[in-house]
Short mmCIF file of all heavy atoms in Angstrom, two decimals:
data_model
loop_
_atom_site.label_atom_id
_atom_site.label_comp_id
_atom_site.label_asym_id
_atom_site.label_seq_id
_atom_site.Cartn_x
_atom_site.Cartn_y
_atom_site.Cartn_z
N GLY A 1 3.89 -0.77 -7.50
CA GLY A 1 4.50 0.48 -7.09
C GLY A 1 3.49 1.49 -6.58
O GLY A 1 3.76 2.24 -5.63
N GLU A 2 2.31 1.49 -7.20
CA GLU A 2 1.26 2.42 -6.79
C GLU A 2 0.75 2.08 -5.40
O GLU A 2 0.52 2.96 -4.56
CB GLU A 2 0.13 2.37 -7.82
CG GLU A 2 -1.00 3.33 -7.56
CD GLU A 2 -2.07 3.22 -8.64
OE1 GLU A 2 -1.77 3.56 -9.80
OE2 GLU A 2 -3.20 2.76 -8.31
N VAL A 3 0.55 0.78 -5.14
CA VAL A 3 0.10 0.35 -3.81
C VAL A 3 1.16 0.67 -2.77
O VAL A 3 0.86 1.13 -1.67
CB VAL A 3 -0.22 -1.16 -3.81
CG1 VAL A 3 -0.56 -1.64 -2.40
CG2 VAL A 3 -1.38 -1.46 -4.75
N ALA A 4 2.44 0.43 -3.12
CA ALA A 4 3.53 0.72 -2.19
C ALA A 4 3.57 2.20 -1.82
O ALA A 4 3.80 2.56 -0.66
CB ALA A 4 4.86 0.29 -2.80
N GLN A 5 3.32 3.07 -2.78
CA GLN A 5 3.32 4.50 -2.51
C GLN A 5 2.19 4.86 -1.54
O GLN A 5 2.36 5.75 -0.69
CB GLN A 5 3.18 5.28 -3.81
CG GLN A 5 4.43 5.23 -4.68
CD GLN A 5 4.21 5.80 -6.06
OE1 GLN A 5 3.13 6.28 -6.38
NE2 GLN A 5 5.25 5.76 -6.89
N ASP A 6 1.05 4.17 -1.64
CA ASP A 6 -0.04 4.42 -0.70
C ASP A 6 0.35 4.01 0.71
O ASP A 6 -0.02 4.67 1.70
CB ASP A 6 -1.29 3.66 -1.13
CG ASP A 6 -2.05 4.35 -2.24
OD1 ASP A 6 -1.72 5.50 -2.55
OD2 ASP A 6 -2.98 3.74 -2.80
N VAL A 7 1.10 2.90 0.83
CA VAL A 7 1.55 2.45 2.14
C VAL A 7 2.53 3.47 2.74
O VAL A 7 2.42 3.86 3.90
CB VAL A 7 2.22 1.06 2.05
CG1 VAL A 7 2.84 0.67 3.41
CG2 VAL A 7 1.21 0.01 1.62
N VAL A 8 3.49 3.90 1.93
CA VAL A 8 4.49 4.85 2.40
C VAL A 8 3.85 6.17 2.81
O VAL A 8 4.23 6.80 3.80
CB VAL A 8 5.56 5.08 1.31
CG1 VAL A 8 6.51 6.21 1.70
CG2 VAL A 8 6.35 3.79 1.08
N ALA A 9 2.84 6.61 2.04
CA ALA A 9 2.15 7.86 2.34
C ALA A 9 1.10 7.69 3.44
O ALA A 9 0.39 8.64 3.77
CB ALA A 9 1.48 8.40 1.08
N ARG A 10 1.00 6.48 3.99
CA ARG A 10 0.06 6.16 5.08
C ARG A 10 -1.40 6.30 4.65
O ARG A 10 -2.27 6.58 5.47
CB ARG A 10 0.36 7.00 6.33
CG ARG A 10 1.78 6.81 6.83
CD ARG A 10 2.05 7.56 8.13
NE ARG A 10 3.45 7.47 8.49
CZ ARG A 10 4.05 6.44 9.10
NH1 ARG A 10 3.31 5.38 9.41
NH2 ARG A 10 5.33 6.46 9.38
N ARG A 11 -1.64 6.13 3.35
CA ARG A 11 -3.01 6.05 2.88
C ARG A 11 -3.55 4.62 2.96
O ARG A 11 -4.74 4.38 2.81
CB ARG A 11 -3.11 6.56 1.43
CG ARG A 11 -2.86 8.04 1.26
CD ARG A 11 -3.19 8.51 -0.14
NE ARG A 11 -2.30 7.94 -1.14
CZ ARG A 11 -1.18 8.51 -1.58
NH1 ARG A 11 -0.81 9.68 -1.08
NH2 ARG A 11 -0.44 7.93 -2.50
N LEU A 12 -2.63 3.68 3.16
CA LEU A 12 -2.99 2.27 3.22
C LEU A 12 -2.18 1.62 4.33
O LEU A 12 -0.95 1.77 4.38
CB LEU A 12 -2.70 1.59 1.87
CG LEU A 12 -2.98 0.09 1.77
CD1 LEU A 12 -4.46 -0.19 1.90
CD2 LEU A 12 -2.47 -0.44 0.43
N ARG A 13 -2.86 0.91 5.23
CA ARG A 13 -2.18 0.25 6.34
C ARG A 13 -2.60 -1.20 6.39
O ARG A 13 -3.80 -1.51 6.28
CB ARG A 13 -2.52 0.95 7.67
CG ARG A 13 -1.83 0.32 8.88
CD ARG A 13 -2.18 1.07 10.15
NE ARG A 13 -3.63 1.10 10.36
CZ ARG A 13 -4.23 1.93 11.19
NH1 ARG A 13 -3.53 2.84 11.84
NH2 ARG A 13 -5.54 1.88 11.34
N PHE A 14 -1.64 -2.09 6.59
CA PHE A 14 -1.93 -3.51 6.72
C PHE A 14 -2.11 -3.84 8.20
O PHE A 14 -1.31 -3.44 9.03
CB PHE A 14 -0.79 -4.34 6.12
CG PHE A 14 -0.81 -4.41 4.62
CD1 PHE A 14 -0.65 -3.26 3.86
CD2 PHE A 14 -0.99 -5.62 3.97
CE1 PHE A 14 -0.66 -3.31 2.47
CE2 PHE A 14 -1.01 -5.68 2.58
CZ PHE A 14 -0.84 -4.52 1.84
N ARG A 15 -3.17 -4.62 8.48
CA ARG A 15 -3.45 -5.00 9.86
C ARG A 15 -3.80 -6.48 9.89
O ARG A 15 -4.09 -7.10 8.89
CB ARG A 15 -4.60 -4.16 10.44
CG ARG A 15 -4.36 -2.67 10.35
CD ARG A 15 -5.49 -1.88 10.94
NE ARG A 15 -5.58 -2.06 12.38
CZ ARG A 15 -6.54 -1.52 13.14
NH1 ARG A 15 -7.49 -0.79 12.58
NH2 ARG A 15 -6.56 -1.70 14.44
N ASP A 16 -3.77 -7.05 11.07
CA ASP A 16 -4.05 -8.47 11.28
C ASP A 16 -5.10 -8.62 12.37
O ASP A 16 -5.09 -7.90 13.36
CB ASP A 16 -2.78 -9.20 11.73
CG ASP A 16 -2.44 -10.34 10.79
OD1 ASP A 16 -3.26 -10.64 9.92
OD2 ASP A 16 -1.36 -10.92 10.95
N ASP A 17 -6.03 -9.56 12.19
CA ASP A 17 -6.89 -9.96 13.30
C ASP A 17 -7.09 -11.46 13.19
O ASP A 17 -6.50 -12.14 12.37
CB ASP A 17 -8.22 -9.19 13.30
CG ASP A 17 -9.13 -9.56 12.13
OD1 ASP A 17 -8.73 -10.44 11.33
OD2 ASP A 17 -10.21 -8.98 12.01
N ARG A 18 -7.93 -12.01 14.02
CA ARG A 18 -8.07 -13.47 14.06
C ARG A 18 -8.70 -14.04 12.80
O ARG A 18 -8.61 -15.23 12.54
CB ARG A 18 -8.91 -13.87 15.28
CG ARG A 18 -8.20 -13.58 16.60
CD ARG A 18 -9.05 -14.03 17.78
NE ARG A 18 -8.39 -13.73 19.04
CZ ARG A 18 -8.92 -13.99 20.23
NH1 ARG A 18 -10.13 -14.55 20.31
NH2 ARG A 18 -8.25 -13.70 21.33
N THR A 19 -9.38 -13.21 12.06
CA THR A 19 -10.03 -13.72 10.83
C THR A 19 -9.08 -13.67 9.64
O THR A 19 -9.43 -14.09 8.56
CB THR A 19 -11.27 -12.88 10.49
OG1 THR A 19 -10.87 -11.53 10.20
CG2 THR A 19 -12.24 -12.88 11.65
N GLY A 20 -7.87 -13.14 9.83
CA GLY A 20 -6.93 -13.08 8.72
C GLY A 20 -6.47 -11.66 8.48
O GLY A 20 -6.72 -10.75 9.25
N ASP A 21 -5.78 -11.47 7.37
CA ASP A 21 -5.22 -10.17 7.04
C ASP A 21 -6.30 -9.26 6.47
O ASP A 21 -7.19 -9.70 5.77
CB ASP A 21 -4.12 -10.30 5.98
CG ASP A 21 -2.99 -11.19 6.45
OD1 ASP A 21 -2.80 -11.28 7.66
OD2 ASP A 21 -2.33 -11.80 5.59
N PHE A 22 -6.20 -8.00 6.75
CA PHE A 22 -7.02 -7.03 6.04
C PHE A 22 -6.27 -5.71 6.02
O PHE A 22 -5.27 -5.53 6.69
CB PHE A 22 -8.41 -6.87 6.67
CG PHE A 22 -8.41 -6.27 8.05
CD1 PHE A 22 -8.54 -4.91 8.21
CD2 PHE A 22 -8.30 -7.08 9.17
CE1 PHE A 22 -8.57 -4.34 9.48
CE2 PHE A 22 -8.32 -6.52 10.44
CZ PHE A 22 -8.45 -5.15 10.60
N THR A 23 -6.76 -4.80 5.23
CA THR A 23 -6.10 -3.51 5.10
C THR A 23 -7.09 -2.40 5.36
O THR A 23 -8.29 -2.56 5.16
CB THR A 23 -5.53 -3.31 3.68
OG1 THR A 23 -6.61 -3.42 2.75
CG2 THR A 23 -4.46 -4.32 3.36
N ASP A 24 -6.57 -1.29 5.84
CA ASP A 24 -7.35 -0.08 6.01
C ASP A 24 -7.01 0.84 4.86
O ASP A 24 -5.84 1.16 4.65
CB ASP A 24 -7.01 0.63 7.32
CG ASP A 24 -7.70 -0.01 8.52
OD1 ASP A 24 -8.64 -0.78 8.29
OD2 ASP A 24 -7.26 0.24 9.65
N ASP A 25 -8.00 1.30 4.12
CA ASP A 25 -7.79 2.27 3.06
C ASP A 25 -8.08 3.66 3.60
O ASP A 25 -9.19 3.93 4.05
CB ASP A 25 -8.68 1.98 1.85
CG ASP A 25 -8.18 0.80 1.07
OD1 ASP A 25 -7.06 0.89 0.55
OD2 ASP A 25 -8.90 -0.21 0.99
N PHE A 26 -7.09 4.54 3.51
CA PHE A 26 -7.24 5.90 3.95
C PHE A 26 -7.75 6.75 2.79
O PHE A 26 -7.51 6.45 1.64
CB PHE A 26 -5.89 6.48 4.41
CG PHE A 26 -5.40 5.91 5.71
CD1 PHE A 26 -5.22 4.55 5.89
CD2 PHE A 26 -5.10 6.75 6.75
CE1 PHE A 26 -4.75 4.04 7.07
CE2 PHE A 26 -4.61 6.25 7.95
CZ PHE A 26 -4.45 4.89 8.11
N ASP A 27 -8.40 7.84 3.11
CA ASP A 27 -8.73 8.82 2.09
C ASP A 27 -7.45 9.53 1.67
O ASP A 27 -6.41 9.40 2.31
CB ASP A 27 -9.73 9.85 2.62
CG ASP A 27 -11.06 9.18 2.97
OD1 ASP A 27 -11.39 8.17 2.32
OD2 ASP A 27 -11.74 9.68 3.89
#
C-alpha cells in the first residue's frame, strides 16, 4: 500500500527499457 501511494502521488514511476524493468524514485 505504501509503494502504491508513491505511484499515485507520482513519487515513483515504472519504466521499461531493453535491459528490463526499472523504476524512477522521485523525491
Side-chain angles (χ1 to χ4, degrees):
E2 183 180 293
V3 174
Q5 289 171 1
D6 280 351
V7 174
V8 172
R10 303 184 186 279
R11 292 189 294 267
L12 178 66
R13 181 179 57 196
F14 282 63
R15 305 180 68 183
D16 237 352
D17 69 1
R18 293 182 181 178
T19 64
D21 301 333
F22 66 91
T23 58
D24 280 344
D25 286 297
F26 288 57
D27 296 331

